[in-house]
Amino acid sequence: MSSVPETHPAAKGAEAFADHLADVLNHGALCLMLSVGHRTGLFDGMRGRPASTSHEIAQATDLAERYVREWLGAMATAGIVTVEPEGPRFTLPPAHAACLTRAAAADNLAVFAQYIAVLGAVEDRIVAAFRTGAGVPYERYTRFHEVMAEDSGQSVLSSLESDVLPLVPGLTDHLECGIRVLDVGCGRGRIINRLATLYPRSRFTGLDVSTQAIEHARAEAAAGGLTNVEFVEADAAGMDRHVEPQGYELITTFDAIHDQADPLAVLQGIHRALMPEGIYLMQDIRGSGQIPGDLDHPLGPFLYTVSCMHCMPVSLAQGGPGLGAMWGEPRARDYLERAGFRDIRVHRLAHDPQNNWYVATR
């Protein structure tokens, strides 16, 4: 029996913290259900639909009713959907659909819930790595490229023309006239294919180490009839063997530097590949580089978790420094300067609390 009276401040503090942890458990479980709702199309199927039974929702989405019913239990107890006792009948309120459906485009937060399941699949390997200090190879992360492609669609593609390209004055004019562009760590190539579609006079190259990602990027380009884009399967640290020096007016990386095996070598390679007066546009995670400086970060727990369970171990598995996603703006600036960049400007986009946008010239 505890010797601390229930009225003691310490007891009240413990009770409040226990309540907080109960919320954490509920929210962690809810992330898995949000991911399921997104992947199965349940949120999309319930959008704009009148109050419906689990049988009606299952029929409309072509899913098994028993699973739909249990999923609705999680959604109803979490307040994601409303429930009328008669039936019972369930509704996804419009205000909730605005954050959870594909129709919400960049505001669809269900996309990010998928990371929890992806990271949970490697928990055993991460626990072992805590004891050995080793990394976890990239190929152990199932669906990571698929989820990352959706993530990029939210944070980059949705604002590519309205917010990202205008970060570099005059860039769209140059793209219209025709320049050479390289995207390092292109993943499935959604961004570079979009640029190739928008600017047919420019030439685009995407580079990534993942065979699966490159194959997907090539297939998408072929399906779109794009003839001004090519994809190269290669390690970014060895890009010198695949791209010509001073061959590109614009080089981009989207959330791709901090988990490299040799981030400095990649940045040095980017510097060498840029033409004189060329522009390097780097999207990377916003952070202070120090835990105390990130206590008020709106996505701090999420980003440190992704870093601990993916970004850092992937780098360590390649013999890299394991910078992690939260390496921070000061270190990012230091790496850019050591790579040879001198004019470095940092931008933040109003819709994107997760990233910094660096614009650097050669």
Side-chain angles (χ1 to χ4, degrees):
M1 182 180 293
S2 172
S3 60
V4 180
E6 290 186 6
T7 56
H8 192 281
K12 292 183 178 180
E15 182 179 351
F17 185 64
D19 289 343
H20 170 65
L21 290 182
D23 286 340
V24 169
L25 288 173
N26 280 327
H27 292 160
L30 186 57
C31 277
L32 294 174
M33 292 291 94
L34 293 177
S35 178
V36 169
H38 172 74
R39 295 181 65 188
T40 58
L42 273 162
F43 288 129
D44 299 321
M46 292 186 70
R47 174 178 171 267
R49 186 178 181 84
S52 307
T53 66
S54 59
H55 288 275
E56 291 168 339
I57 294 170
Q59 185 175 29
T61 54
D62 196 26
L63 297 170
E65 186 276 336
R66 184 66 190 91
Y67 279 91
V68 171
R69 192 192 334 155
E70 211 71 1
W71 177 83
L72 286 167
M75 294 297 101
T77 55
I80 304 297
V81 304
T82 58
V83 57
E84 300 172 4
E86 174 131 4
R89 295 183 178 276
F90 305 88
T91 306
L92 180 65
H96 298 188
C99 302
L100 291 170
T101 60
R102 287 173 174 83
D107 294 325
N108 183 10
L109 296 178
V111 166
F112 301 99
Q114 296 176 96
Y115 281 114
I116 305 305
V118 169
L119 298 177
V122 297
E123 182 186 4
D124 288 348
R125 294 182 181 274
I126 295 295
V127 169
F130 265 76
R131 297 189 172 96
T132 65
V136 178
Y138 201 58
E139 59 269 18
R140 299 297 182 184
Y141 295 83
T142 57
R143 291 193 68 240
F144 191 83
H145 270 300
E146 180 183 343
V147 175
M148 192 67 197
E150 279 201 88
D151 183 339
S152 294
Q154 304 270 105
S155 61
V156 183
L157 271 182
S158 64
S159 58
L160 185 63
E161 298 163 69
S162 61
D163 296 281
V164 176
L165 296 180
L167 292 174
V168 183
L171 177 57
T172 54
D173 290 336
H174 289 295
L175 287 165
E176 289 278 8
C177 293
I179 60 174
R180 295 189 65 191
V181 181
L182 171 66
D183 185 26
V184 179
C186 66
R188 289 189 165 196
R190 292 187 68 190
I191 298 170
I192 205 74
N193 279 333
R194 176 61 177 162
L195 287 170
T197 302
L198 290 172
Y199 301 105
R201 292 182 180 177
S202 289
R203 301 288 305 178
F204 299 88
T205 300
L207 183 146
D208 200 279
V209 71
S210 169
T211 300
Q212 182 183 31
I214 289 295
E215 289 176 351
H216 191 282
R218 287 171 176 162
E220 184 181 83
L226 299 175
T227 59
N228 60 332
V229 62
E230 64 174 343
F231 291 95
V232 178
E233 182 184 339
D235 184 349
M239 75 174 76
D240 288 355
R241 297 192 296 272
H242 304 276
V243 302
E244 62 182 279
Q246 299 188 20
Y248 300 88
E249 288 95 334
L250 173 68
I251 299 180
T252 59
T253 58
F254 298 98
D255 199 16
I257 295 298
H258 60 261
D259 55 0
Q260 295 290 331
D262 193 342
L264 181 57
V266 174
L267 291 173
Q268 289 170 333
I270 289 171
H271 187 269
R272 284 191 294 270
L274 273 176
M275 291 182 176
E277 307 303 319
I279 297 291
Y280 172 41
L281 174 62
M282 178 178 86
Q283 173 208 28
D284 217 293
I285 300 298
R286 182 187 307 174
S288 71
Q290 299 290 333
I291 293 173
D294 293 328
L295 297 182
D296 294 328
H297 196 298
L299 292 170
F302 173 74
L303 292 173
Y304 270 104
T305 298
V306 174
S307 182
C308 183
M309 298 193 70
H310 177 266
C311 306
M312 186 184 72
V314 162
S315 174
L316 292 173
Q318 302 172 81
L323 290 177
M326 300 301 281
W327 61 322
E329 183 179 327
R331 185 173 289 183
R333 284 181 174 274
D334 175 60
Y335 270 56
L336 286 166
E337 290 172 358
R338 289 164 61 191
F341 293 99
R342 290 295 173 259
D343 184 8
I344 304 165
R345 303 184 185 187
V346 182
H347 303 268
R348 295 181 176 182
L349 301 180
H351 74 281
D352 183 9
Q354 179 173 308
N355 297 291
N356 277 344
W357 296 80
Y358 299 82
V359 177
T361 53
R362 194 176 189 276

